[in-house]
Amino acid sequence: GAFRRTMERPLEATRMENSTSSCFLMERKTHVKINRKEVMLAKLRKSCSCTPKKIKNFVMDFLPVLQWLPKYQCKEYIWGDVMSGLVIGIILVPQAIAYSLLAGLKPIYSLYTSFFANIIYFLMGTSRHVSVGIFSLISLMVGQVVDRELLLAGFDLNDDAPPALGDGSLQNDSQSNTTAFNLTIAGMNAECGKECYAIGIATALTFVAGVYQVLMGIFRLGFVSMYLSESVLDGFATGASLTILTAQVKYLIGIKIPRSQGHGMLVITWINIFRNISQANLCDVITSAICIVVLVTAKELGDRYKHKLKFPLPTELVVIVVATLVSHYGKLNEVYASSVSGAIPTGFIPPKVPNFNLMLRVAVDALPLAIVSFVFTVSLSEMCAKKYAYTIRANQEMFAVGFCNIIPSFFHSFATSAALAKTLVKTSTGCQTQVSGVISAMVVLLVLLFLAPLFYSLQKCVLACIIIVSLRGALRKFRDVPARYHVNKVDTLVWVVTMSASALISTEIGLLVGIVFSMLCIIVRTQRPRTALLGQIQDTSFYEDDLEYENLSSVPKVKIFRFEAPLYYANRNYFLKSLYRLTNLDPNLEAARRKKYEKKEKQHLKKGGDTTANGLGITDTILQLVPKQIDFQALVVDCSSISFLDTTGVNTLKEILKDYKDLNISVLLACCNPSVIDSLKRGGYFGKDFGSMQEMLFYSIHNAVRFAKDQKLPADCSV
């Protein structure tokens, strides 16, 4: 093939070798240079202009409910939406109460969170099927920050410490036991007790996470989620699930151990559990065993016969109702000292602005929370959109999740996200639109206003059982490890590292370790890619890896080298080592050997003697020093897998061109993409006027091979 350059426009000519030699020109398009400054100014002017139409479009985009609700087909959709909304609401209530244990907050705050998240997502979300609300991983991340800040403020993390109600918003009979702290350090100058301070931390954290998400939406930073691969997310979810499971064991068996904090919480908690296992509450152990058996059995039956059931069995609700009745009438708290939920007040607390000074304390913690919350929501939204053939707007999802955090933070709520389990239930119960979220919110509202006090006698071990059984999906990932390993070993390693770091160090560190490790894996793969010498597939113009395929014929006097990665500074040395190893020739060593040989030969000719100092004849000495016979006269580099070159890459190719030229070996490049060709041109690989370009660059490997065979002398093609 030939590449030529004209003065007017660059032409790339390729000679097709067949029975009749013909040549066609590949003309490169001229790209008009874009003035980025003008484009940016035009976009800025357009975005800053304010017309009634623009305002209307902005409002319609910001509140998608205004687009789809007027087109709502009531007869077709209402039954599915009401049914799925009721089922999710029924599941939400026990889960909300249970997940309050994870967040280290009172159950009422979890109910507020579930209510407001559903309402806001109904207004702003673009996914019809996603269930946004309280989520175990997010609750855990909130709980870890709350616990840390409570410890730093000098509070006791023991769940059964007397409640401190400094803000007077949640009144109950235990006010005489109130322990009040004047927390001027944290910026809360008013007297504030443990519970009030805990929700203050949670709302500040939630507000900042929401602000991050909205800013990410404004600056179009949704691409950040691309760095969280499926392996990282799965590993993170499984590792966090192990942490959640560990945190619930003390409630299962009714022992009182301090809530572990910081790195290595999983190991420390298990050590404390085994140290205190003799104090286990028999009543709690029996209750937990019964609840887990009932819940797991019901879930397994539900999974097996889900095609026959119109909606999933409300097992959690039944278990909670029965357990509450048994606990109340059996007086399990009074007789057996079983830990219970306690008073859950009804109604709403007046809104309160999250504390700014607390926001500064949790600003760093809010970042992983914001990213995880957004990634789970968008990935689930995209999954549902693909399954039911509609589109979502990832950027709008970012705004929706952001405001699901910002607005509820004023109403004593904490961070939310889309939840996989509830989303799957929603789709399986006939959900059609976001209206089902409003129905779920109404169910939660009913509990908030009237039914909350009925859960007073509910044992904490029952809530722990609900949490543990809900982790089945994440914990089942362990069973998929062999299959995952069979598909991709590197991805499995990423999963194991992320899961281990999330469980053994901390969830946030685990996420960071997972992202960094998965990126390192990509870098290592490009640093040490596959390299190969190619042979010709018999009677064809195609070439493949000699080591991978049978019956390939080697091309006489030509070596064809393939490098399966971009050529850049990090893999330059590996490129050269692989080339020298596979061709069995290091041009630098060979050039040095030849110089040595020529020098010795000159010395002998000067002396004119027949023997050397060591007694050998001249002929024998020359035989010892003679350079090894080179079995090829052309090297073809297959660039089809080289996606880009940096400056080091261009210099490396220039270096091998010069080194092989000194040995009278041609270096021919084949299958280069346009960006690689441009990099070579800019780097001066083809000389100043690109005159020798047609003899150095080829459209296909076969053309390069034919050109190399046609050379009568083993000389460099650019000469």
Side-chain angles (χ1 to χ4, degrees), residues 572-583:
R572 170 192 185 276
N573 290 338
Y574 186 74
F575 173 86
L576 293 173
K577 279 181 188 173
S578 302
L579 176 62
Y580 300 160
R581 176 174 51 82
L582 290 171
T583 56

Side-chain angles (χ1 to χ4, degrees), residues 166 272 355 372 565 624:
N272 286 334
N355 188 285
V372 171
Q624 277 189 341

Side-chain angles (χ1 to χ4, degrees), residues 557-612:
K557 299 289 182 187
V558 180
K559 297 272 188 188
I560 307 161
F561 176 71
R562 179 190 283 165
F563 188 73
E564 298 180 6
L567 179 54
Y568 68 114
Y569 68 93
N571 60 19
R572 170 192 185 276
N573 290 338
Y574 186 74
F575 173 86
L576 293 173
K577 279 181 188 173
S578 302
L579 176 62
Y580 300 160
R581 176 174 51 82
L582 290 171
T583 56
N584 199 22
L585 175 68
D586 183 335
N588 297 312
L589 288 177
E590 187 59 28
R593 197 182 288 126
R594 287 187 180 192
K595 279 179 185 173
K596 205 171 183 180
Y597 163 69
E598 285 167 8
K599 192 178 176 184
K600 289 277 183 189
E601 196 174 23
K602 278 178 185 176
Q603 284 175 357
H604 291 309
L605 288 170
K606 275 182 184 178
K607 286 179 184 177
D610 288 336
T611 58
T612 59

Side-chain angles (χ1 to χ4, degrees), residues 475-495:
L475 296 174
R476 273 181 178 160
K477 300 281 182 188
F478 284 106
R479 291 199 312 204
D480 302 337
V481 171
R484 192 188 285 269
Y485 184 78
H486 179 70
V487 172
N488 193 307
K489 294 176 178 63
V490 176
D491 279 356
T492 310
L493 188 61
V494 169
W495 183 88

Side-chain angles (χ1 to χ4, degrees), residues 45 152 222 341 466 470 493 584 594 634 642 654 664:
R45 279 195 294 271
L152 289 173
S341 296
I466 290 169
S470 73
L493 188 61
N584 199 22
R594 287 187 180 192
I642 299 177
K654 284 167 77 176
N664 287 331

